[in-house]
Amino acid sequence: MKSDSIQTTICQERKKDPIEMFHSGQLVKICAPMVRYSKLAFRTLVRRYSCDLCYTPMIVAADFVRSVKARDSEFTTNQGDCPLIVQFAANDARLLSDAARIVCPYANGIDINCGCPQRWAMAEGYGACLINKPELVQDMVKQVRNQVENPRFSVSIKIRIHDDLTRTVDFCRKAEATGVNWITVHGRTVEERHQPPHYDAIKIIKENMSIPVIANGDIRSLKEAENVWQTTGTDGVMVARGLLANPAMFAGFEETPLKCIWDWVDIALELGTPFMCFHQHLMYMMEKITSRQEKRIFNALSSTSAVLDYLTDHYGI
């Protein structure tokens, strides 16, 4: 948590309570937690284009609690960065509750990552392995509830599904009974990567829950988001790669508009975004609007000034 931001980061928009959003009957449009990408600058951009709720990248709770350096590098926010959910990877209830207490003044809630399928995460006891440890998840939720005094501070989970969907429904019911505010379901199993998401499974989970359920997986346009929302009967949709490719997606744009690209430049420069992140986001955004030759040239640029010159020469300001 950057010290220069801390004095102005208390969330001023508590009226934008995510729990209330999910009970509005409207589609809630959510930016997913994305390692390296869903940081403050990108969250600021997508909020300009009809994104209702943003998640931080996944943060390892143990490192966050024990290291000031980790806090400074992993979590930066400001007054406009609201509503905000901080996602943690955790396997220890005490460490997670300590992390939640640290971020409580600066966010609307925390999310426990129970869906990351990467081997390193599962080897550490984080991510998708937690869908097979309902008692541990329940303990973590209870500890956060006990340690954070703000009753409006949400605790949610993001999961993948089991091969046997009855196990997923049982896991979700246990989480709900412990006080989880909502559940985001990525419609794939741990082993699945590029197969189509099982939206039918998300629908069944939603039908078995009283709390809000969010659909996640392979949503690339506002029209797709609306279709998934209606098909599954869920309370919102969460998007990752679709927003990377088109941060204006939730505003109805089929591809990234030039204004969005220049908005990104302005935001990134103002917030001091490192060049690699600044450049990588532009590569994603411009994927559909550049030729193969243009990509070769643009992707090889190695400085902010070179990128700005290229954009000015090719797209104007």
Side-chain angles (χ1 to χ4, degrees), residues 54-65:
C54 292
Y55 280 53
T56 69
M58 181 183 75
I59 300 169
V60 176
D63 296 341
F64 189 79
V65 169

Side-chain angles (χ1 to χ4, degrees), residues 7 135 191 213 233 243:
Q7 283 140 21
E135 292 79 14
E191 293 77 23
V213 173
L243 278 176

Side-chain angles (χ1 to χ4, degrees), residues 162-175:
H162 299 84
D163 290 315
D164 177 1
L165 195 61
T166 59
R167 293 182 63 197
T168 315
V169 171
D170 181 62
F171 175 88
C172 291
R173 283 175 171 162
K174 288 177 178 176

Side-chain angles (χ1 to χ4, degrees), residues 180-198:
V180 162
N181 293 104
W182 70 83
I183 298 173
T184 301
V185 183
H186 182 90
R188 292 185 176 98
T189 66
V190 175
E191 293 77 23
E192 290 176 324
R193 292 295 184 272
H194 303 294
Q195 296 89 333
H198 303 283

Side-chain angles (χ1 to χ4, degrees), residues 59-60 67 90 98 101 117 151 217 223 225 227 247 262-263 271 294 313:
I59 300 169
V60 176
S67 165
D98 287 346
R101 286 176 64 190
K223 186 175 181 181
N227 287 341
W262 285 112
D263 282 345
L271 294 176
E294 287 172 328
D313 291 345

Side-chain angles (χ1 to χ4, degrees), residues 16-304:
K16 290 187 177 179
D17 188 315
I19 299 168
E20 292 176 9
M21 284 183 182
F22 293 134
H23 290 98
S24 70
Q26 303 297 310
L27 169 61
V28 180
K29 303 180 285 293
I30 306 166
C31 175
M34 292 178 276
V35 173
R36 295 186 301 279
Y37 295 121
S38 61
K39 294 199 169 187
L40 175 60
F42 188 70
R43 298 194 301 265
T44 302
L45 179 66
V46 295
R47 290 185 195 280
R48 291 189 183 181
Y49 291 89
S50 302
C51 183
D52 299 312
L53 176 63
C54 292
Y55 280 53
T56 69
M58 181 183 75
I59 300 169
V60 176
D63 296 341
F64 189 79
V65 169
R66 293 167 180 159
S67 165
V68 174
K69 183 178 179 182
R71 290 197 287 276
D72 285 348
S73 65
E74 296 295 329
F75 182 56
T76 304
T77 185
N78 61 25
Q79 274 186 309
D81 189 26
C82 193
L84 177 66
I85 303 300
V86 181
Q87 190 187 66
F88 285 111
N91 58 14
D92 180 282
R94 184 184 59 80
L95 286 171
L96 177 63
S97 62
D98 287 346
R101 286 176 64 190
I102 292 170
V103 301
C104 179
Y106 314 107
N108 293 76
I110 65 149
D111 184 84
I112 305 169
N113 187 317
C114 304
C116 179
Q118 294 184 39
R119 287 180 184 174
W120 74 266
M122 295 183 66
E124 294 286 339
Y126 305 140
C129 70
L130 291 175
I131 62 173
N132 299 315
K133 299 178 180 180
E135 292 79 14
L136 174 55
V137 173
Q138 286 179 299
D139 188 32
M140 290 195 286
V141 173
K142 287 176 185 174
Q143 285 268 24
V144 174
R145 286 266 173 256
N146 290 337
Q147 291 296 318
V148 176
E149 294 178 358
N150 181 358
R152 292 166 67 89
F153 191 77
S154 66
V155 181
S156 57
I157 58 175
K158 184 173 186 287
I159 68 169
R160 283 192 171 227
I161 60 175
H162 299 84
D163 290 315
D164 177 1
L165 195 61
T166 59
R167 293 182 63 197
T168 315
V169 171
D170 181 62
F171 175 88
C172 291
R173 283 175 171 162
K174 288 177 178 176
E176 178 179 17
T178 313
V180 162
N181 293 104
W182 70 83
I183 298 173
T184 301
V185 183
H186 182 90
R188 292 185 176 98
T189 66
V190 175
E191 293 77 23
E192 290 176 324
R193 292 295 184 272
H194 303 294
Q195 296 89 333
H198 303 283
Y199 295 127
D200 55 337
I202 299 177
K203 183 175 189 289
I204 290 168
I205 293 167
K206 171 59 185 173
E207 290 169 347
N208 282 275
M209 297 289 108
S210 299
I211 56 173
V213 173
I214 312 307
N216 173 232
D218 277 9
I219 296 167
R220 305 284 181 159
S221 68
L222 179 60
K223 186 175 181 181
E224 285 184 15
E226 291 169 340
N227 287 341
V228 169
W229 175 55
Q230 290 169 353
T231 301
T232 59
T234 48
D235 304 278
V237 296
M238 176 182 283
V239 178
R241 286 176 292 185
L243 278 176
L244 279 182
N246 178 9
M249 186 195 102
F250 283 144
F253 292 92
E254 291 297 317
E255 58 186 30
T256 310
L258 290 179
K259 184 179 184 308
C260 181
I261 291 172
W262 285 112
D263 282 345
W264 168 246
V265 170
D266 290 342
I267 292 166
L269 294 180
E270 181 183 344
L271 294 176
T273 301
F275 173 74
M276 190 173 292
C277 180
F278 169 67
H279 191 209
Q280 189 73 53
H281 273 292
L282 286 168
M283 284 191 255
Y284 279 120
M285 289 180 209
M286 297 168 65
E287 176 74 23
K288 287 186 179 178
I289 61 173
T290 50
S291 68
R292 187 175 298 178
Q293 175 63 19
E294 287 172 328
K295 284 185 183 66
R296 260 200 302 269
I297 296 169
F298 183 79
N299 294 359
L301 299 175
S302 58
S303 71
T304 300

